[in-house]
Amino acid sequence: MFKWLNAFKWMAAGWMALALSGCGYNTLQTTDEDIKATWAEVLNQYQRRADLVPNLVNVVKGYAAHETDVFTSVTQARARVGAIQATPELINDEAAFQKFIAAQGELTGAISRLLLVAENYPQLKADGLFRDLQAQLEGTENRITVARNRYIGAVKLYNVTVRSFPSNLTAMLFGYKTKPSFTVENEAAIAVPPKVDFGTPAAPRTAPVPAGDSDASGKLSPGY
C-alpha cells in the first residue's frame, strides 16, 4: 500500500510540474531573473556615471569658476539621484521607478549643460584630464543605453508572459505582476515634426559645350 502511495505522490508531483511548465511558471521564473540581472547592470552604469560627476565638475571649475548656476544644478541633481534607494525591489514599485528615472533624467540634463560650458573655454577643452573624463562619460552613456535596452527587452518578455493566457493564471496564482519599463525621454519634444527647409533652389547648372561641337548660333564648328 505504501508503495502505491509513494508512486501516486511521484505521479502527482510530475503532473504538477508538467502543468506548471505548460502554464508559464518556468518562463516567469526565467524572465524574472533576467530582469533582475539587467536591472543590476543599469544601476551599475548609472552609478559609474554618478562617480564621474564630481571630478568633472572640479575640472571645469578650474577654468570657469563663475559658472556657479551650472555647478549647483549638477550637484543638486546628483544628490537627488543618490537620495533614492536604488534597490532591486525598485522595479516592483511603479511610482518609485518613475521617480528614479526622473532623477536620472535631471542629472543627464545637468551634465549636458556642464559640458556646454566647455565650448566657451578653449583651454578647458584642451585639458587632458577634461578630455579623458569626457571620453569616460561618453562611454558610460553608451553603456547606459545598452543596459537600458536589455532591461526593456527582458521586461517585455516577462510582461507578455504575465498578461498572456494561460500563463496569466499562473502569474495571478503566484503573485507575479507586470513591471515598469523605460519610456522615450522627452516625448513632447519628439512629437513635434522636424522643420524641413530646402531654401531657395539653386539655379540649374548647364553642361559645358565641348570645344569644336558648335558655335553660339548652334551651327557646327569647322572640321565637321
Side-chain angles (χ1 to χ4, degrees), residues 107-120:
L107 182 57
T108 299
I111 292 174
S112 297
R113 291 190 293 273
L114 179 64
L115 293 177
L116 284 176
V117 170
E119 298 299 322
N120 299 322

Side-chain angles (χ1 to χ4, degrees), residues 86-104:
T87 62
E89 290 72 25
L90 185 67
I91 54 178
N92 297 321
D93 187 336
E94 176 75 30
F97 181 87
Q98 294 303 332
K99 183 178 179 181
F100 175 80
I101 299 307
Q104 292 293 348

Side-chain angles (χ1 to χ4, degrees), residues 168-185:
N168 63 331
L169 302 177
T170 305
M172 286 189 292
L173 179 63
F174 290 94
Y176 287 96
K177 299 180 181 179
T178 57
K179 298 184 186 295
S181 187
F182 293 96
T183 57
V184 178
E185 295 180 1

Side-chain angles (χ1 to χ4, degrees), residues 116-205:
L116 284 176
V117 170
E119 298 299 322
N120 299 322
Y121 300 89
Q123 291 182 333
L124 171 58
K125 293 171 65 177
D127 186 285
L129 180 56
F130 174 78
R131 292 201 307 268
D132 179 62
L133 288 170
Q134 188 177 27
Q136 291 185 54
L137 188 60
E138 290 174 353
T140 301
E141 292 291 351
N142 291 334
R143 284 190 285 270
I144 288 174
T145 300
V146 172
R148 281 167 53 122
N149 286 340
R150 289 174 178 169
Y151 174 82
I152 290 171
V155 170
K156 180 181 178 181
L157 290 175
Y158 170 86
N159 284 348
V160 167
T161 304
V162 170
R163 290 171 174 167
S164 300
F165 181 83
S167 55
N168 63 331
L169 302 177
T170 305
M172 286 189 292
L173 179 63
F174 290 94
Y176 287 96
K177 299 180 181 179
T178 57
K179 298 184 186 295
S181 187
F182 293 96
T183 57
V184 178
E185 295 180 1
N186 200 9
E187 294 182 9
I190 66 172
V192 178
K195 295 181 180 180
V196 180
D197 184 11
F198 294 102
T200 304
R205 299 175 59 185

